[in-house]
Amino acid sequence: MAELAKKPANIATIIVEEKLTPPWKEAWISFYKNRLALAGLGIVVFFIIIAIIAPIIAPYSFKDQVLADRMLPPSSKHWFGTDDFGRDIFSRIVYGARISLWVGFFSVLGSVVAGTLLGIVAGYYGRWVDAIISRIFDIMLAFPSILLAIAVVSILGPSLQNALIAIAVINIPNFGRLVRSKVLSVKQEEYIMAARAVGMKDTRILLRHILPNSISPVIVQATLAIATAIIEAAALGFLGMGAQAPTPEWGKMLADSKNYITQAPWTLFFPGVAIMLTVLGFNLMGDGLRDILDPKMKQ
């Protein structure tokens, strides 16, 4: 009888402990159980560390040209071999991690800020404001993203900074439409109507209630968009419209090596693997975050 009397208390204790678990801790536990997402996080962290300590681990400068060492295969002296100018490919890939991650992070950051702002305004105020912003998004989405990026870079001029701006611009509609759809559902909630009824200003409603409740899908989309931005930066670099020589951008390295695919395949293999692994890492991590933050996936 004593044991039976203790059971309800134990059950109640377990329920209370579960309710007291912080949301961030619950999210981390769910993320930790997803092995693929954890592997993606490991890949991303690895490349971030590589980018930070690039000057320490790179055996050579990324722009040093030694014509006597042209097209050397991988060896103990040059781990990834050398390119057509005798530059060490390992050093260039290590420094290139800084450029690719920099373009990925900051282009997506610009897209998130601009897209979220436009999406909130369109979804909350509606009517002609929503119509104008939505039509702008539709026009931008009517063009293939890479063609729109090429058009922006053609106007601004080929450079790494302009490629970053172009990538940020073409991703704005994706975040804007995502936030708009979320705001349209959130603003119909009773607590939003109550806030309006008591005379709360629109700015306060947007910042304190609507934005926090609309940000989860944006985080997931941003993680996946970084991978896309890295590919787009590599594509612009491959076309000669992104980073310019001697900047060690991975897409530019592929473009410079395409004529030597049979003579020196390592000049294409290692930059390609670096792009593939980085994109894979962000995609796996984004899928894991989506499983945690998307209520539909939880169900």
Side-chain angles (χ1 to χ4, degrees), residues 11-276:
I11 294 172
T13 303
I14 292 171
I15 294 173
V16 170
E17 288 177 353
E18 288 181 353
K19 288 183 178 180
L20 292 177
T21 302
W24 65 266
K25 188 174 181 180
E26 183 181 351
W28 169 249
I29 292 172
S30 300
F31 187 86
Y32 183 78
K33 291 179 179 179
N34 190 330
R35 299 304 180 187
L36 288 177
L38 206 59
L41 177 62
I43 294 172
V44 171
V45 171
F46 171 77
F47 277 99
I48 291 175
I49 293 174
I50 290 295
I52 294 173
I53 64 174
I56 299 174
I57 63 174
Y60 305 93
S61 172
F62 66 86
K63 57 184 177 180
D64 284 348
Q65 299 182 12
V66 184
L67 296 180
D69 292 340
R70 293 179 69 249
M71 301 297 189
L72 291 179
S75 63
S76 58
K77 183 179 179 181
H78 299 284
W79 295 348
F80 290 177
T82 60
D83 62 10
D84 55 320
F85 287 101
R87 297 172 296 196
D88 183 68
I89 294 178
F90 175 77
S91 300
R92 289 177 62 77
I93 286 179
V94 166
Y95 277 98
R98 288 184 164 187
I99 296 171
S100 294
L101 292 175
W102 178 73
V103 171
F105 280 120
F106 284 97
S107 63
V108 170
L109 178 62
S111 301
V112 168
V113 173
T116 301
L117 178 62
L118 292 173
I120 285 180
V121 171
Y124 185 76
Y125 290 103
R127 298 184 180 180
W128 63 269
V129 176
D130 184 20
I132 292 175
I133 294 176
S134 296
R135 295 299 78 75
I136 293 174
F137 288 164
D138 291 339
I139 293 172
M140 295 177 68
L141 290 172
F143 296 92
S145 59
I146 189 63
L147 292 181
L148 186 58
I150 291 173
V152 174
V153 175
S154 298
I155 295 171
L156 300 177
S159 70
L160 184 62
Q161 290 76 14
N162 291 340
L164 187 152
I165 295 172
I167 295 169
V169 169
I170 65 177
N171 285 315
I172 288 175
N174 297 326
F175 291 99
R177 295 184 69 177
L178 180 65
V179 173
R180 174 185 172 276
S181 63
K182 189 68 176 178
V183 171
L184 287 175
S185 61
V186 171
K187 75 175 186 178
Q188 302 298 329
E189 298 291 337
E190 294 181 357
Y191 63 90
I192 300 297
M193 296 180 182
R196 288 174 177 172
V198 298
M200 186 178 292
K201 294 182 179 179
D202 289 346
T203 306
R204 191 176 181 185
I205 293 175
L206 291 172
L207 295 179
R208 294 195 60 180
H209 298 292
I210 292 182
L211 180 60
N213 288 286
S214 306
I215 204 68
S216 295
V218 175
I219 295 173
V220 177
Q221 181 64 26
T223 307
L224 297 172
I226 292 175
T228 305
I230 291 174
I231 294 178
E232 290 167 344
L236 291 174
F238 187 84
L239 296 173
M241 306 191 74
Q244 303 298 306
T247 305
E249 196 272 324
W250 292 339
K252 179 63 176 172
M253 292 174 66
L254 290 176
D256 294 340
S257 305
K258 66 180 183 297
N259 295 326
Y260 309 103
I261 188 170
T262 56
Q263 182 182 354
W266 56 86
T267 58
L268 276 83
F269 175 77
F270 291 110
V273 169
I275 295 173
M276 181 196 72

